[in-house]
Amino acid sequence: MSVDFGDGPLRAPVGEPTAQPTPTRRPWRCLGIDVGGTKIAAGLLDEGGRFEELEILPTRRGDGGANLTTLRDLIRAAPAGLSAIGVSVRTLLDPAGALRDPRGVLGWRGVNLARELSVDGAEVTVSRDVECGAVAEVQYGAGRGMSDALYVTIGTGISHCLVKCGVPLSGAHGAASSGQAPPARCTRRHCEAQSVEQICSGPALASEHAGGEAQDASDVITAAEAGEPRAVEIISHAGWHLGAYLATLMLTLDPEIVVIGGGLGTHASTYRERAIGVARRLGFAGLLGEVPIVPASLGDGSAWIGAAHIAATRLVDSAESRATRRNRVLRPGPSEESR
Ligand SMILES: [Zn+2]
């Protein structure tokens, strides 16, 4: 694979101390890769907003070497002339860029993925999945055109991200997106979960319904929609907590729109509508009552689309800041006579 940064020569000609225009860029085209818990998906995104999924491969649980090989193979198989590569991962990164991967799902604990993948000369940007999904929905999906959009993902985990003027805000420690927030106090007896995620995620719903550890919430959702009393109670209770979480986020962050993504958030409309109803009742008055709360529209591809977009943004910002720096250095100062 060849990497083409397409931003023209940035070195200023010697002896010409005048401000230079920003070099004309060629339109970018980036590869996005989403590394999820069960699958690794890759696709292309170009500057015109066109995206195309290329391939989906299985994630090897806990096998970091095999997962790294999969990513390298996807990069090598990508079309030539890419501007940059963005990778979405479902874990926090430490300040030096190493993945935390606390449960060892990817086998990449402590691995600096950008450095590992940059060996072939590619510009690689690694971002957290919720930030990628949020950016994709704001740029190309349900939140398009909004300058303050809150993205909330509900699936295997719960997390959120505010995108302000196109930039995902992750906070000083990356913890601003975490669904580990303590739950609001409800009226149910014996509700002692420590986090919103422990009540509202897919595995939490599935485990409560199954009476033991389970991952897939589709059974409890189907049963609730068919009116099974226990399933209805589980969805009603978790939906209340999800609504309280949404209300808290909206009153804190005051977004223009809320986009709800993730497998459960997008497809389990009964659960999502229960949460939206509670959020509107608990938290909203006046202006906030009009804030649209809508399902995500990009589906499973949002993470790799967002990863590619973030990589492109970094590339463009970097080229523009290099040009600005060069102009600042070359701009002539006041002459000796004028001082
Ligand atoms: Zn509760």
Side-chain angles (χ1 to χ4, degrees):
M1 190 212 74
S2 70
V3 176
D4 175 6
F5 295 97
D7 54 7
L10 289 173
R11 185 165 298 172
V14 175
E16 292 181 25
T18 52
Q20 301 294 306
T22 302
T24 306
R25 275 193 310 105
R26 257 168 284 168
W28 54 258
R29 188 182 193 216
C30 292
L31 177 70
I33 303 176
D34 172 32
V35 186
T38 57
K39 62 184 193 302
I40 299 175
L44 293 173
L45 173 71
D46 72 19
E47 191 157 351
R50 291 171 288 265
F51 41 86
E52 173 197 357
E53 190 164 87
L54 294 177
E55 194 153 11
I56 298 178
L57 297 168
T59 304
R60 306 288 179 193
R61 198 171 177 87
D63 189 343
N67 290 328
L68 205 51
T69 300
T70 300
L71 261 63
R72 288 194 171 122
D73 289 346
L74 286 168
I75 292 170
R76 283 195 197 99
L82 289 177
S83 311
I85 296 163
V87 182
S88 162
V89 289
R90 185 172 291 186
T91 181
L92 290 172
L93 285 77
D94 73 15
L99 305 187
R100 295 197 191 275
D101 194 15
R103 294 174 198 157
V105 173
L106 306 173
W108 286 343
R109 192 177 302 161
V111 169
N112 187 315
L113 195 56
R115 195 181 301 151
E116 291 286 341
L117 295 175
S118 296
V119 288
D120 299 329
E123 180 92 359
V124 179
T125 301
V126 180
S127 311
R128 202 171 172 213
D129 59 350
V130 66
E131 295 177 13
C132 295
V135 165
E137 287 292 341
V138 171
Q139 290 293 332
Y140 309 104
R144 194 169 183 158
M146 299 291 182
S147 60
D148 282 89
L150 174 64
Y151 177 74
V152 180
T153 176
I154 305 157
T156 310
I158 306 266
S159 50
H160 65 266
C161 179
L162 182 73
V163 179
K164 197 166 183 64
C165 302
V167 178
L169 303 183
S170 51
H173 309 93
S177 58
S178 174
Q180 298 301 317
R185 195 173 59 187
C186 73
T187 55
R188 189 202 234 189
R189 283 185 179 184
H190 311 301
C191 179
E192 293 167 353
Q194 301 297 304
S195 71
V196 173
E197 194 169 277
Q198 284 179 11
I199 302 172
C200 304
S201 67
L205 299 180
S207 299
E208 187 175 359
H209 189 240
E213 193 172 326
Q215 295 292 317
D216 185 357
S218 54
D219 283 354
V220 60
I221 296 291
T222 305
E225 286 171 352
E228 181 200 292
R230 203 162 142 272
V232 168
E233 199 279 327
I234 290 170
I235 295 303
S236 174
H237 172 249
W240 184 89
H241 278 287
L242 198 53
Y245 172 64
L246 284 178
T248 304
L249 289 174
M250 292 180 71
L251 289 168
T252 307
L253 301 170
D254 187 12
E256 279 180 282
I257 188 171
V258 180
V259 179
I260 301 191
L264 269 180
T266 307
H267 301 298
S269 57
T270 309
Y271 184 37
R272 183 181 65 241
E273 293 307 319
R274 160 74 173 150
I276 291 173
V278 170
R280 293 214 182 278
R281 203 170 65 243
L282 283 181
F284 302 160
L287 290 174
L288 278 186
E290 303 300 317
V291 174
I293 307 176
V294 299
S297 66
L298 294 176
D300 288 346
S302 65
W304 69 254
I305 294 169
H309 184 88
I310 290 171
T313 303
R314 182 174 160 184
L315 183 78
V316 172
D317 287 352
S318 150
E320 288 176 356
S321 70
R322 281 201 301 274
T324 305
R325 260 200 319 276
R326 188 194 58 203
N327 282 342
R328 194 165 54 232
V329 169
L330 295 176
R331 190 172 298 127
S335 65
E336 288 298 326
E337 297 83 55
S338 67
R339 281 179 192 161

